[in-house]
Structures are given as C-alpha cells and as structure tokens.
Amino acid sequence: MPQPTYAQLADLPAYAEQPVPTAFEDMNGYLNVRHYLGIGSEGLDESLVGVGIPTNWPISAGRACLAAEHHLTYLHELKTGDMMSVRVRLLGRSERAGHALVYVLDDTNERVACVLEEVFLHVLVSARKTEPWPTEIAEQMDARIAEHANLPWPAETTGCLALR
C-alpha cells in the first residue's frame, strides 16, 4: 500500500520530537521494534490535546483513551541518534471510538519509518467501560477529521481495522 511521502507529512504538526535514545537501541544499533508503538502512541496522545483531550485526562476528568487495536507497518529503520517525530491523521470517529493513522518519521533521513493504524476508545476510568465522547470533544474531533479528509494525499489504511 503506497504511503504519503515525508514531504507530504512534514506539513502536519510534529509530536514526540526526539532523537532515538541509546536506551531504545537493539543489538544492531537501531530502534528496537517494541519502541515504534510507544513513540507512535505518545505522538497520538500529544495530538489529541488539540481536540480537548489533555494528557492528564485520567486524573483530571476520570476519562481515558485506550487502544483497542493497532496495526504497524515498518518501512525504514531508525538508527540510534536519528531525529524522529510523529504526525497524525484522524480518519473518523464513532460514538465511543476514534480511528487514526500515525506516522513515525525519520527526520534525519527525511523518510517515513513506520505507520501505525489505531482504533482507540473513550473509557470512563472508574468503570473501565466505554462511554460516548463528551460533546465538545466530539465536535473538535469532527472538525479535525474534516480538516484531515481534505489533505491532498489519500489515507491508505490496512483495511483490517474499522470503527464499529
């Protein structure tokens, strides 16, 4: 499946900007595979602040966004010391869930390193059950989804994840 280029993604806001730390290195000197998900997830969380979901939401409001499903596609390796960042494209939402494409970029070599497709749920922490999105957040998500739907490149999904 063709993915957007680094140049196309670079215009989106950058999240989780950092060099690949030595502590995340595998025995070959590259970013260990297990950290791509964590970095992508961190970037998605940071991006959701812009639609009204603060990073301290579980503490401040007793609500959380929890991953329900993900699919990762690895395109290029990141080496220790490479600068990386995350870009996020919101694809849609249902009453209780969201769907996003998360791109981990290799800013040093200007290429897409990994694509993470995720379905995430709005959960009431105390009950550990899904809840409908609060109205103000749903409206802000809808606005961001509409904005991202107008990007000049297609949203290439795996086809194996969908909102329900």
Side-chain angles (χ1 to χ4, degrees), residues 3-138:
Q3 293 297 335
T5 65
Y6 178 89
Q8 290 169 316
L9 292 164
D11 290 337
L12 293 173
Y15 304 102
E17 295 178 281
Q18 60 193 296
V20 175
T22 304
F24 286 12
E25 179 178 287
D26 65 14
M27 66 178 138
N28 299 308
Y30 291 90
L31 179 63
N32 190 292
V33 69
R34 70 178 174 254
H35 296 293
Y36 286 88
L37 176 60
I39 292 159
S41 182
E42 179 183 337
L44 176 58
D45 289 349
E46 287 181 22
S47 78
L48 294 175
V49 171
V51 296
I53 300 171
T55 55
N56 69 343
W57 210 28
I59 295 164
S60 68
R63 299 172 182 277
C65 289
L66 301 181
E69 297 181 76
H70 351 74
H71 184 280
L72 280 81
T73 302
Y74 301 98
L75 302 170
H76 294 282
E77 293 178 300
L78 281 156
K79 266 189 102 157
T80 302
D82 286 345
M83 285 302 298
M84 62 182 165
S85 62
V86 172
R87 305 304 197 276
V88 176
R89 182 174 187 165
L90 285 183
L91 301 175
R93 75 162 183 91
S94 65
E95 181 184 43
R96 299 165 187 253
H99 187 196
L101 284 169
V102 179
Y103 303 91
V104 178
L105 300 186
D106 174 348
D107 295 315
T108 299
N109 297 294
E110 296 189 353
R111 59 189 180 185
V112 181
C114 176
V115 181
L116 162 64
E117 183 178 354
E118 181 170 319
V119 172
F120 55 95
L121 306 173
H122 170 232
V123 173
L124 194 59
V125 175
S126 62
R128 296 306 270 189
K129 294 191 180 204
T130 60
E131 287 278 317
W133 294 107
T135 303
E136 64 279 359
I137 291 172

